[in-house]
Amino acid sequence: NVITGVYAPTNGSVEFDGETIICNYPQGKMRKLYAGNEEYLCNNVVRKTPDRITKLGIARTFQNIRLFKSLSVFENVLIAKHMNIKANLFSAAFMLNRQEEKRMRHETEQLLNILDLYDVRDEISSSLPYGKQRRLEIARAIATQPRLLLLDEPAAGMNPQETNDLIRLIHRLK
């Protein structure tokens, strides 16, 4: 949660690929707890938002699945692909980004195929069994093209068969 910008550290920083993405020092009540200790590990506050951290190449899944429940499997992954879109408001308004959109749709279909979700691509995500919802969340994270993928308890709530399937999937992705 600290690495991905959901929480700020009390004292210290997180760097990724040589860039500080989160930095904080004790403030408020925490300042009293650190009184007399070593100097603060960080002298200024840096808080990149989760979307900026994702653009730097870090993606994550959550212990509790977070999907767009009323959207299809395909739409959930396509939205994540848009994280790296190069289009702007002008090009989108005049549909000048058709090729990029076509490429993203193709890549989404490929990713769904790799993650064994292609057969349910048009299903509403909330109607999927738990194991497939977990795969969908992983697909969304991978769609952002991360250099670092963080999986928060990826097998939580799964039965043994789903867990074994997930282990095989993670090995394939690796």
Side-chain angles (χ1 to χ4, degrees), residues 115 135 138 149 151 154-155 163-174:
L115 288 150
R135 279 178 184 256
I138 292 170
L149 176 62
L151 304 174
T163 301
N164 287 332
D165 290 345
L166 181 64
I167 290 168
R168 282 191 292 279
L169 171 69
I170 291 170
H171 281 289
R172 256 186 23 228
L173 294 174
K174 187 176 139 186

Side-chain angles (χ1 to χ4, degrees), residues 23-150:
C23 189
N24 200 17
Y25 57 88
Q27 300 171 46
K29 293 178 184 177
M30 294 306 294
R31 188 174 286 238
K32 290 178 186 173
L33 292 175
Y34 279 87
N37 289 343
E38 297 177 29
E39 289 186 36
Y40 300 144
L41 299 174
C42 186
N43 295 325
N44 62 333
V45 175
V46 176
R47 286 194 183 129
K48 293 200 184 293
T49 56
D51 62 311
R52 291 192 184 270
I53 292 170
T54 301
K55 284 185 180 210
L56 288 173
I58 300 175
R60 60 121 7 129
T61 63
F62 292 86
Q63 181 179 352
N64 299 318
I65 297 173
R66 296 184 183 181
L67 299 172
F68 296 106
K69 296 185 185 306
S70 62
L71 297 181
S72 73
V73 169
F74 182 82
E75 292 166 331
N76 263 276
V77 177
L78 185 61
I79 286 172
K81 294 293 292 174
H82 280 89
M83 190 71 193
N84 296 316
I85 197 167
K86 297 192 179 24
N88 57 33
L89 183 60
F90 177 79
S91 63
F94 291 101
M95 297 176 58
L96 301 175
N97 62 334
R98 275 184 244 150
Q99 287 304 109
E100 186 175 22
E101 187 69 29
K102 185 177 179 181
R103 178 189 50 78
M104 287 190 304
R105 288 176 173 279
H106 178 71
E107 289 172 359
T108 297
E109 288 186 355
Q110 286 180 317
L111 186 54
L112 292 176
N113 199 26
I114 291 167
L115 288 150
D116 299 324
L117 292 169
Y118 190 83
D119 60 325
V120 293
R121 70 187 290 277
D122 296 322
E123 300 287 326
I124 300 300
S125 65
S126 61
S127 71
L128 296 177
Y130 185 78
K132 288 200 177 204
Q133 285 187 21
R134 184 64 73 180
R135 279 178 184 256
L136 176 55
E137 188 172 51
I138 292 170
R140 270 194 351 180
I142 292 170
T144 66
Q145 300 174 328
R147 291 181 290 147
L148 174 63
L149 176 62
L150 304 170

